[in-house]
Amino acid sequence: MTSVGPAGDEDQVDESEPVVCEDLNAEGSDVKPKIDFATVPGYNNVRLDQSLLPPPPTDYAPPKDWKQPDFMSAPVISEETARQALLEHVSQQCCWGKGAAEKLTFKELQSSTSYHWYRRNCGQEMDIPFNITENGSQPVNGPQNGPAPGPWDIPASFSKYFVNETQHHEVPFTAYVKDCHKCNARGYVRCGKCMGRGKVKCGTCHGSGRRRVYRNGEHRVVSCSMCHGGKRRCPRCGGDGRVTCPTCKSHCRLKWFIKLTVNWVNNIGEHVVEKTELPDHLVSQAAGTMGFEDTQIRVMPISRFPVGEINEASGKLIASHQFPNRRIHMQHHIIRMIPVTQCFCQYKEKGVNYFVYGLESRVYAPEYPDQCCWGCNIL
C-alpha cells in the first residue's frame, strides 16, 4: 500500500519563467476598440452599448365615422350556486369543515358587478448598439453601396399584436472590415493561464519537483512524476504561451456594422371598480363577461359607460399612455364585468358573510366559521 502526499492543487503561474510573448494582449484583458460611425447620417450618437432613438412625430386623426361600441350586462348567481361554490371552496382548504357550509341559512344575496378596465398599447422601440462579427467570408454591405436608411425607415414587422417581441437587424450600408482590436490582427493572444510563459508550477508537488510518499513501511521523498523539476507545460496553451483570439477566432479581421434592435413592447394600464370589501386583485384575476371592447390605432376615452368612475379612469389612463421613445402601432381597451355576490348568512345564531365572484364562481370567505376540523395530527 502506497500513501501519496496531499492532493495536488490547481497549477499556478510560474512567475520565474520569462514571458515569451510580451507584445501580445492578455487573453482576459479589456481592450477597447476604436470606433467611428460619425460619417453615417442619422447615427452620429451611436455608442458601443445602446442608444435610444425616438421616432419622428406623427399626427393621428380619428376617423369621422367612429362610433363607440355598445355595452353589455353581467350575470347574477342563485342561492344554490352560492352554496355549492362555498362547499367546493371548503373542500380545497386544509382542515376546513363542511358542516357550516351545509347548514348555514341564507338571509340575503346582494348581487353587484365589478368592473376591470384595462388598456393595452402595442409600441415599437429602437435600440442602436454596435455589433461586430468574425469576418471570414461574410458579405460586407458597406457605404459604397449607398446611403444608410434612417432607423425608423428600416422595415420591421411583428408577429402578433400586444405581445412582447425583440428583433435584430443589420443596418444596411453601415458595414466595414477592420483589424481585430483584441489581437492586432495576429489571430492569437497571450494565454490567460500561464500569462504567456508557457509553463506553470506543478500543483501536485507545489513546484518543488519532489513528493513525500509512504512505501514498504517507511516515508520516502521521490521525484514528482507529474512534472519536470516542479514545472509543467501549460495545459491551456500547450506550452506555446499563446491561444486563439477569443474575439476574432483567429480570422484576424472583424466585420463592424450598426445593429438595430427593435423591441415590440406591450404596455398595460388597468383600473378596478369594486364597491364591496372584495379585494381588487381578486377581481382582476377572475373571469368575467366582455362588457366593452375597442381596438384602434388610437382609442378614444370611454364617455357613455353607466359607471362614471370608468369614464373618468379611461380618460386618465389614455392621457398617461404617452411614450416619446416609442411609435404606437395599435391600442386596445376592454371593460370586463365580473359578477360579485355577497352572501349574508346565519350559522348557530351568528352572522356570516362571504363572496362568490367571477364566472367560475370563486369564493372569498375569510370569516368562515368552521376553519379547523380539530381532526388533524401534526407529526
Side-chain angles (χ1 to χ4, degrees):
M1 178 178 180
T2 302
S3 177
V4 183
D9 298 330
E10 185 179 357
D11 297 331
Q12 300 177 348
V13 176
D14 186 0
E15 296 183 356
S16 63
E17 287 289 326
V19 178
V20 297
C21 45
E22 292 188 18
D23 58 336
L24 294 180
N25 292 320
E27 184 178 7
S29 61
D30 187 16
V31 181
K32 298 295 185 182
K34 294 181 180 180
I35 55 174
D36 184 16
F37 274 95
T39 58
V40 181
Y43 298 88
N44 302 24
N45 297 324
V46 174
R47 304 186 307 273
L48 266 177
D49 46 9
Q50 289 186 343
S51 307
L52 284 176
L53 298 181
T58 56
D59 295 326
Y60 173 77
K64 296 181 180 180
D65 57 347
W66 179 83
K67 181 182 179 182
Q68 196 168 79
D70 295 329
F71 306 107
M72 307 297 290
S73 59
V76 297
I77 67 171
S78 64
E79 179 179 316
E80 180 181 357
T81 301
R83 187 185 300 274
Q84 185 60 36
L86 181 60
L87 285 169
E88 292 180 4
H89 178 72
V90 168
S91 67
Q92 297 171 3
Q93 311 305 312
C94 177
C95 299
W96 283 29
K98 65 178 181 178
E102 294 175 336
K103 298 177 183 179
L104 57 79
T105 302
F106 287 92
K107 296 298 184 181
E108 182 184 5
L109 297 181
Q110 289 187 358
S111 297
S112 62
T113 301
S114 294
Y115 300 97
H116 178 212
W117 179 84
Y118 66 94
R119 176 177 180 273
R120 297 188 294 186
N121 181 87
C122 180
Q124 179 184 4
E125 181 181 82
M126 296 288 196
D127 288 337
I128 310 286
F130 281 121
N131 197 50
I132 56 175
T133 59
E134 305 160 25
N135 183 26
S137 59
Q138 298 183 41
V140 179
N141 188 7
Q144 70 277 4
N145 295 329
W152 291 93
D153 297 327
I154 297 175
S157 60
F158 48 87
S159 57
K160 190 177 182 180
Y161 280 122
F162 310 114
V163 175
N164 292 336
E165 183 179 349
T166 299
Q167 301 172 354
H168 301 283
H169 304 273
E170 176 181 337
V171 178
F173 315 133
T174 63
Y176 68 92
V177 177
K178 63 181 297 185
D179 291 345
C180 176
H181 59 279
K182 181 72 173 180
C183 64
N184 295 321
R186 297 187 181 185
Y188 47 82
V189 294
R190 193 189 312 168
C191 175
K193 176 75 174 177
C194 66
M195 297 307 296
R197 293 175 171 86
K199 294 182 180 180
V200 293
K201 287 184 179 179
C202 176
T204 302
C205 66
H206 305 289
S208 67
R210 303 178 68 81
R211 292 191 304 158
R212 187 169 180 265
V213 299
Y214 185 76
R215 292 178 182 172
N216 300 325
E218 62 180 352
H219 290 281
R220 297 182 180 181
V221 177
V222 299
S223 297
C224 178
S225 60
M226 304 299 294
C227 67
H228 299 283
K231 299 176 182 179
R232 297 179 59 186
R233 180 183 298 175
C234 175
R236 177 82 172 88
C237 64
D240 186 55
R242 306 175 302 176
V243 293
T244 299
C245 176
T247 300
C248 69
K249 304 297 188 298
S250 79
H251 288 291
C252 300
R253 292 171 67 78
L254 296 172
K255 172 187 172 183
W256 286 73
F257 59 90
I258 298 178
K259 182 178 69 174
L260 177 69
T261 301
V262 184
N263 295 308
W264 303 97
V265 184
N266 183 34
N267 297 98
I268 300 176
E270 63 179 353
H271 182 78
V272 175
V273 177
E274 166 54 33
K275 300 300 184 181
T276 69
E277 297 179 358
L278 184 65
D280 288 353
H281 72 275
L282 297 180
V283 173
S284 63
Q285 295 170 3
T289 59
M290 192 70 68
F292 172 86
E293 183 177 14
D294 188 24
T295 302
Q296 302 286 340
I297 297 177
R298 296 291 189 277
V299 296
M300 302 297 292
I302 298 172
S303 59
R304 297 189 297 106
F305 199 74
V307 180
E309 186 176 346
I310 288 290
N311 297 328
E312 182 180 354
S314 171
K316 289 181 178 179
L317 278 176
I318 288 178
S320 67
H321 267 214
Q322 304 297 324
F323 306 98
N325 289 326
R326 297 173 186 170
R327 172 182 287 171
I328 298 175
H329 287 269
M330 192 65 67
Q331 294 179 335
H332 184 206
H333 60 165
I334 291 174
I335 298 178
R336 296 173 53 251
M337 298 187 300
I338 296 88
V340 176
T341 300
Q342 188 169 7
C343 306
F344 295 92
C345 311
Q346 187 171 354
Y347 177 68
K348 293 183 178 180
E349 300 182 354
K350 181 179 179 181
V352 178
N353 72 86
Y354 67 96
F355 295 89
V356 180
Y357 64 98
L359 297 180
E360 63 272 65
S361 296
R362 297 186 180 185
V363 171
Y364 177 66
E367 301 177 0
Y368 185 71
D370 200 2
Q371 295 192 23
C372 186
C373 63
W374 307 106
C376 297
N377 293 321
I378 301 178
L379 302 180

